Amino acid sequence: MICQECNERPATLHFTKIINGEKTEVHLCEHCAQEKSEVFIIEGDPGFSINNLLAGLLNIDSGFQKTKENSFPKHEILQCDVCHMTYQQFVNVGRFGCSHCYETFKDRIKPIFKRLHSGNIVHQGKIPKRVGGSLHLKKEIKELKTQLQTLIINEEFEKAAEVRDRIRSLELQLDSKRGESS
Amino acid sequence: MTIERFISQAVSSWMSAEGPNSDIVLSSRIRLARNLHDYKFPTVFTVEEAKDIVTNMAESLKYDERVSSLELLIMEELRPLDKRVLVEKHLISPMLAENSNYGAVFLSKDEDISVMVNEEDHIRIQCLTPGLQLKEALEKASGLDDTIESHIRYAFDEQNGYLTSCPTNVGTGMRASVMMHLPALIITQQMNRIIPAINQLGLVVRGIYGEGSEALGNIFQISNQITLGKSEEDIVNDLLGIVYQIIAQERSAREALVKTSNIQLEDKVYRSFGVLTNSRIIESKEAAQCLSDVRLGIDLGYISNISKTILNELMILTQPGFLQRYAGGPLRPNERDVRRATLIRERIKMENQNKEEN
């Protein structure tokens, strides 16, 4: 049999593609198969991606939680109010439908995040200014408190006093912000 | 007309500059994944919502000096071959080119900034720098992020950080990566030991075209795996720490090779140079390998009449999309091999002529 791509070399690779139930036989020589894979198998390949692997991970997880699941009435399906994605759909595609899914699937995704991010479950990075609001203050206070501990251990009390005053003033700012928003 | 500018030349202007450690590190990249607060994610959104997001982005960037120069390209308006060329230049992802719903990209003139819209997430900001300049890339990406955020409300919460479509990106939404040329670690068979070690440290090693691709021409991409629970700066510092160690290992492997088998190495380099300058048919894998050998030859001082940039250029020019673009139409794989050989020969000849004239 001759390769269907170049019509020159003998076909050494034979496989069957089934798309929407339609069967197609593919016969390629090694050369063309390589060229083809070079064309099609690149980043984000929809054929097999991180999301496929993820779906496996998520499925295992729902297996572990069976006992918990059984305590709910059987017909109850966990579904996001906003995008209507069900937990099962999320498991299948490995992607969320909208930001509200994070809230809807909250209890189930925590162990998954832990596994994916080496045990971490709380964001430590950048905070957007617009959404951040008092988060920036909270972050700074937290950092200063760590700094304060180090200064006390090192017996640098003068600097420690400065940091303590800074923390107090930030805490006051935080309180007034809370007052504004309530 | 605008697309022409991005596909007519293989090397983006940022690439022709030499960055720090550019004997081993080709480029550094920061990618930030962001989503808009009020819209469903690309997995489930409607075409109307998708279009709305592109319009929203274009509108909000228009009035900002820092980003108003970014050029907008809509995927559906591009020819498949043009999209492929943008992929080969790493300006867009294959996913945006092939599977996006009303996908678009904002590109800077220098091609060092690309903002993809409606890929896996609503927004993906990407900043590229030559050599090892991750911190600089982060600063640039973060600045652009602040600008976009001043117009658009992001999906964010205190616990999870930036909310992304895929749980592997949640938190910082950041992927930092470094493209490294590691021929000596391959020749001395050390890479097989290094890759699992890197993986254990929460980093990922991939081939040049990312997930699922092999290391063509001894080029590896190393990036962070974890995005939650660490700050952007910590992620970059952790990655840099490992990259510096790999650079040191590659350099000492190169030194050792020169010491123990200088003539064999020189022979390998010149044989590859011979193949590139004389072959009439060359497959992409062989071309990539030969280009890698010649690049190593330049770094070691064996070859001096050819610049490193030409190799960056040829790595991209010899990809199927570019070859077909130059041929002006689709080519069969065997035709591509012939074109590839011709193109490489001509390009090197041109380089030699330029050198002689100077």
Side-chain angles (χ1 to χ4, degrees):
Chain A
M1 189 176 285
I2 288 174
C3 169
Q4 64 183 56
E5 190 72 16
C6 61
N7 292 321
E8 282 173 12
R9 291 175 283 262
T12 50
L13 288 152
H14 313 274
F15 56 95
T16 315
K17 269 200 300 200
I18 303 172
I19 298 167
N20 295 332
E22 202 178 305
K23 234 168 136 181
T24 337
E25 301 274 332
V26 183
H27 310 280
L28 297 170
C29 69
E30 210 165 308
H31 184 95
C32 290
Q34 252 177 25
E35 288 280 351
K36 256 191 152 1
S37 70
E38 164 190 296
V39 175
F40 298 120
I41 305 172
I42 33 182
E43 190 180 3
D45 173 34
F48 192 80
S49 65
I50 178 83
N51 299 93
N52 295 86
L53 290 170
L54 208 57
L57 189 66
L58 301 170
N59 261 323
I60 291 168
D61 195 74
S62 57
F64 279 134
Q65 297 197 344
K66 235 174 194 153
T67 39
K68 207 173 162 190
E69 210 171 41
N70 287 345
S71 58
F72 290 110
K74 264 190 178 160
H75 58 271
E76 196 171 321
I77 294 169
L78 195 55
Q79 186 175 29
C80 176
D81 297 339
V82 176
C83 69
H84 308 297
M85 186 178 265
T86 63
Y87 185 73
Q88 196 50 47
Q89 281 171 327
F90 164 64
V91 164
N92 292 340
V93 294
R95 290 187 190 128
F96 295 106
C98 70
S99 52
H100 190 68
C101 289
Y102 278 87
E103 185 56 36
T104 317
F105 308 141
K106 193 168 69 185
D107 297 332
R108 303 228 186 158
I109 57 181
K110 220 180 232 174
I112 299 160
F113 283 3
K114 246 186 182 169
R115 234 175 286 159
L116 287 174
H117 299 281
S118 293
N120 297 313
I121 45 164
V122 182
H123 176 58
Q124 299 290 343
K126 189 173 174 178
I127 298 163
K129 289 191 187 74
R130 183 189 287 252
V131 194
S134 57
L135 287 181
H136 285 281
L137 282 174
K138 274 199 220 164
K139 195 184 169 196
E140 199 180 341
I141 292 170
K142 201 179 153 199
E143 281 166 5
L144 286 172
K145 280 186 176 165
T146 324
Q147 204 182 326
L148 184 64
Q149 285 305 317
T150 325
L151 289 171
I152 293 172
I153 292 166
N154 295 340
E155 299 184 2
E156 294 179 66
F157 299 116
E158 256 178 62
K159 275 189 193 163
E162 279 173 32
V163 172
R164 182 204 55 207
D165 293 345
R166 174 95 184 117
I167 293 173
R168 278 188 190 154
S169 110
L170 290 177
E171 276 173 343
L172 281 175
Q173 275 185 50
L174 189 65
D175 282 344
S176 69
K177 273 213 168 190
R178 277 185 188 136
E180 278 168 30
S181 57
S182 62
Chain B
M1 262 318 278
T2 46
I3 179 75
E4 289 302 320
R5 193 176 72 209
F6 296 108
I7 56 174
S8 57
Q9 56 180 48
V11 175
S12 310
S13 31
W14 66 266
M15 253 168 100
S16 42
E18 275 200 15
N21 298 293
S22 63
D23 54 333
I24 291 162
V25 180
L26 305 183
S27 61
S28 309
R29 184 185 71 159
I30 293 286
R31 188 217 68 197
L32 302 174
R34 301 288 186 252
N35 286 287
L36 274 59
H37 177 255
D38 295 319
Y39 291 87
K40 280 179 257 163
F41 292 165
T43 329
V44 294
F45 67 6
T46 60
V47 178
E48 280 67 38
E49 282 175 298
K51 283 184 181 170
D52 215 22
I53 290 165
V54 177
T55 319
N56 242 333
M57 276 287 284
E59 196 57 34
S60 44
L61 299 182
K62 200 160 73 183
Y63 302 104
D64 213 294
E65 265 182 39
R66 279 191 60 161
V67 285
S68 58
S69 60
L70 296 181
E71 191 99 53
L72 171 65
L73 301 173
I74 309 273
M75 286 308 119
E76 278 161 20
E77 294 171 3
L78 302 183
R79 287 168 296 181
L81 213 51
D82 292 345
K83 287 194 273 188
R84 182 149 176 82
V85 167
L86 294 178
V87 172
E88 288 172 2
K89 290 183 85 171
H90 300 276
L91 294 175
I92 62 171
S93 67
M95 187 187 168
L96 188 81
E98 282 151 35
N99 299 303
S100 64
N101 221 335
Y102 211 71
V105 64
F106 290 89
L107 288 176
S108 70
K109 265 189 202 133
D110 288 351
E111 304 174 16
D112 58 339
I113 296 171
S114 112
V115 183
M116 289 192 271
V117 184
N118 296 337
E119 205 239 27
E120 187 179 283
D121 293 293
H122 294 146
I123 304 172
R124 288 206 161 181
I125 302 167
Q126 177 180 278
C127 283
L128 291 147
T129 52
L132 187 57
Q133 300 188 76
L134 267 185
K135 285 184 179 168
E136 291 76 0
L138 174 61
E139 206 175 306
K140 206 191 280 183
S142 193
L144 189 58
D145 180 43
D146 291 342
T147 310
I148 297 174
E149 203 247 331
S150 65
H151 299 284
I152 281 170
R153 188 178 166 188
Y154 284 154
F156 178 91
D157 79 40
E158 190 176 352
Q159 172 85 19
N160 299 307
Y162 291 93
L163 307 177
T164 53
S165 183
C166 181
T168 53
N169 294 318
V170 73
T172 57
M174 184 180 82
R175 198 72 62 201
S177 50
V178 173
M179 199 89 89
M180 304 183 85
H181 182 226
L182 305 171
L185 290 178
I186 289 288
I187 298 173
T188 55
Q189 295 182 339
Q190 293 180 69
M191 217 43 209
N192 298 338
R193 279 190 296 117
I194 293 173
I195 292 175
I198 296 174
N199 289 339
Q200 280 191 330
L201 294 165
L203 302 173
V204 199
V205 188
R206 297 193 183 108
I208 180 167
Y209 282 99
E211 208 175 288
S213 74
E214 55 185 309
L216 213 58
N218 302 324
I219 296 174
F220 295 86
Q221 185 184 298
I222 300 170
S223 46
N224 64 303
Q225 173 89 298
I226 294 158
T227 53
L228 189 63
K230 273 191 190 184
S231 72
E232 288 80 358
E233 289 74 20
D234 287 345
I235 293 171
V236 162
N237 285 331
D238 290 353
L239 181 56
L240 279 175
I242 303 297
V243 168
Y244 280 125
Q245 286 192 48
I246 300 171
I247 291 176
Q249 297 224 32
E250 169 69 19
R251 285 207 182 119
S252 69
R254 286 181 188 188
E255 272 171 37
L257 278 174
V258 170
K259 260 189 208 151
T260 58
S261 38
N262 194 26
I263 191 70
Q264 287 90 334
L265 197 61
E266 202 174 342
D267 181 66
K268 185 176 163 67
V269 167
Y270 275 102
R271 272 173 191 274
S272 291
F273 189 65
V275 169
L276 291 180
T277 43
N278 293 298
S279 68
R280 264 47 183 176
I281 300 170
I282 193 164
E283 286 179 33
S284 58
K285 262 191 192 162
E286 190 183 6
Q289 183 56 48
C290 290
L291 286 167
S292 165
D293 291 343
V294 170
R295 191 187 159 104
L296 178 65
I298 296 172
D299 288 335
L300 296 178
Y302 297 143
I303 296 177
S304 57
N305 59 344
I306 183 166
S307 72
K308 241 183 274 182
T309 337
I310 187 188
L311 297 177
N312 293 346
E313 190 180 328
L314 285 174
M315 281 301 271
I316 296 171
L317 270 177
T318 52
Q319 299 290 315
F322 255 108
L323 285 176
Q324 298 183 75
R325 165 91 201 149
Y326 268 177
L331 292 172
R332 312 180 74 75
N334 46 345
E335 290 171 332
R336 272 185 236 158
D337 295 346
V338 176
R339 284 267 172 179
R340 186 177 292 120
T342 316
L343 188 106
I344 294 173
R345 281 200 324 270
E346 282 174 357
R347 191 64 193 83
I348 293 178
K349 208 166 124 192
M350 203 163 90
E351 180 87 353
N352 282 334
Q353 275 167 356
N354 286 345
K355 284 267 149 74
E356 276 165 27
E357 279 165 21
N358 292 332

